[in-house]
Amino acid sequence: MSATLIDGKAFAAGVREKVANATAALKASHDITPGLAVVLVGDDPASEIYVRNKKKMTEEVGMQSFDYHLPASTTREELLAKVDELNSNPEVNGILVQLPLPNKDDENIVINAIDPEKDVDGFHVINSGKLATGQDGLVPCTPLGCLMLLKDTLGDLSGKHAVVIGRSNIVGKPMSQLLLNESCTVTTVHSRTRHIKEETKRADILVAAAGKPEMVEADWIKPGVVIIDVGINRIALPEGKSKLVGDVNMEEVAETAAAITPVPGGVGPMTIACLLHNTLKATCIQHQIPFPLGA
Ligand code: NAD
C-alpha cells in the first residue's frame, strides 16, 4: 500500500472560494461586508508572518480586515480596552487576539473578554462549552480544518476509532470533542500516556498534534489508517539549513497508512481558510441570517 496524500492546500482554496462566493452574496442581499479584526501584541516574527497572511486572505475573499499591532509593553487593561472597543464596533464581526501573548497570564482573561459571537478562534469558554456539549457555536480553526479533511477523505466517521495525540485547548482537546460529536470512539493520548503505541495502533483515524518532530513511526499505526499530521516543527539540516516536518515520519508510514496530510501543505492552509469560514459564520450569527456553508 502506498498512502494517498491529502491535499490540504487545494481543499483550503476550495473553502476560501466558497467563503468568497457567500460573502459576495451576503453583500448583494443584505449590504453586509464581514469584518475581521486581528490584534497582535509584541514582535514574535512567526506571528507577524501569520498575521500578514491572514490580512491578505481576508481581503481576497472580499472581507474587511482591521489590524492592530500593539507594543509588547501593552498592559492587560489596555488590551482589554481594545477588545471592548472591537466588541462594540458593528463593522467588526470577528476578533482574533494572536497567541501567544507576551504575558501568558493575560491569555484566558483577554480571550474570555471577547464577545462570544465574535470569537472566531472559538477559544472563549462559552464556545468551548458549546463544543463540549454538542451545541452549535464557533469551533477552533485548526481542528475544524482537520475534521473537514477527514470527512472529505472518509465520508461518514461514525463508529471509527479515532486517536488524538495531544490535549491542548487549541488543537487536541477540541479535536477529540469534534470527533466524539461525529460518533467516533475517541482516545486522547498525551505526554503522560503509558504505552502510547498500543493506543495509536488501534486507530482508524490518527490525529497527531504533539509538536514532536517525526515522532509517529511505522510501528505506531495499523494498515489502512488515515493520518492527519497537525505538527509543524522546524528541524536543523547540515550547513545551517532547516526544513519543516510534521509529527509523523512520512517515509516510515507511507507503506502502511491509507492516506496522510503532508507537512507543509496539509493542515496548515486549512487553519486560515477556517478562520474566514468562522468570520462569515459569526457575521451570520450576529445578523440572524442562516449560515450558508453548513456547520
Ligand atoms: P501544545 O504544546 O500546546 O500541546 C502539545 C500536546 O502534545 C500536549 O497536550 C502534550 O501532552 C502532548 N505531547 C507532547 N509530547 C508528547 C509525546 N512525546 N507523546 C505524546 N503526547 C505528547 O501544542 P499545540 O498548540 O497543541 O500544537 C501542537 C502542534 O501542532 C505543534 O507542532 C504546533 O506547531 C502545531 N500546530 C499547527 C497548526 C496548523 O495550523 N497546522 C495550528 C496549531 C498548532
Side-chain angles (χ1 to χ4, degrees), residues 5-29:
L5 280 187
I6 300 171
D7 189 347
K9 199 170 166 195
F11 195 89
V15 171
R16 291 199 308 275
E17 192 184 335
K18 281 187 203 150
V19 171
N21 292 338
T23 300
L26 191 63
K27 233 177 261 184
S29 61

Side-chain angles (χ1 to χ4, degrees), residues 39 68 70 74 76-88 95:
V39 181
Y68 304 91
L70 310 179
T74 305
R76 179 184 294 175
E77 288 65 34
E78 286 165 340
L79 192 49
L80 288 172
K82 175 53 77 185
V83 168
D84 235 20
E85 175 198 314
L86 298 173
N87 279 341
S88 41
I95 303 170

Side-chain angles (χ1 to χ4, degrees), residues 227-249:
I227 305 177
I228 303 291
D229 190 353
V230 186
I232 302 177
N233 311 289
R234 186 164 287 284
I235 58 166
L237 295 175
E239 295 167 24
K241 294 187 179 144
S242 67
K243 70 166 181 172
L244 287 183
V245 298
D247 286 357
V248 179
N249 186 323

Side-chain angles (χ1 to χ4, degrees), residues 50 104 141-143 146 164-173 188-193 196 208-213 215 220 229-234 245-247 263 266-272:
Y50 192 48
K104 270 248 162 242
C141 303
T142 300
C146 295
V164 178
I165 310 177
R167 57 171 167 178
S168 72
N169 288 339
I170 67 167
V171 190
K173 230 180 269 173
T188 309
V189 297
H190 47 80
S191 53
R192 304 282 179 93
T193 300
I196 195 164
K212 297 284 171 231
M215 176 178 77
W220 286 52
D229 190 353
V230 186
I232 302 177
N233 311 289
R234 186 164 287 284
V245 298
D247 286 357
V263 177
V267 175
M270 290 300 293
T271 299
I272 294 185

Side-chain angles (χ1 to χ4, degrees), residues 105-231:
D105 293 343
D106 288 351
E107 290 186 355
N108 281 339
I109 293 164
V110 171
I111 296 302
N112 287 329
I114 296 172
D115 177 344
E117 291 193 350
K118 296 190 177 187
D119 167 41
V120 282
D121 249 344
F123 297 157
H124 191 289
V125 72
I126 296 255
N127 283 314
S128 13
K130 283 187 173 175
L131 178 60
T133 51
Q135 299 176 63
D136 189 32
L138 292 165
V139 172
C141 303
T142 300
L144 178 61
C146 295
L147 185 68
M148 286 182 185
L149 294 178
L150 281 169
K151 283 183 163 176
D152 186 58
T153 306
L154 287 166
D156 184 15
L157 307 183
S158 171
K160 299 212 180 290
H161 192 146
V163 177
V164 178
I165 310 177
R167 57 171 167 178
S168 72
N169 288 339
I170 67 167
V171 190
K173 230 180 269 173
M175 187 74 246
S176 291
Q177 285 164 337
L178 278 172
L179 290 165
L180 201 51
N181 291 345
E182 294 296 322
S183 301
C184 291
T185 301
V186 182
T187 305
T188 309
V189 297
H190 47 80
S191 53
R192 304 282 179 93
T193 300
R194 293 181 192 147
H195 316 300
I196 195 164
K197 290 188 213 176
E198 282 172 25
E199 305 296 337
T200 55
K201 254 187 202 158
R202 292 192 293 147
D204 304 311
I205 294 168
L206 180 63
V207 181
K212 297 284 171 231
E214 301 182 322
M215 176 178 77
V216 175
E217 300 186 330
D219 63 344
W220 286 52
I221 59 169
K222 76 172 177 190
V225 61
V226 172
I227 305 177
I228 303 291
D229 190 353
V230 186

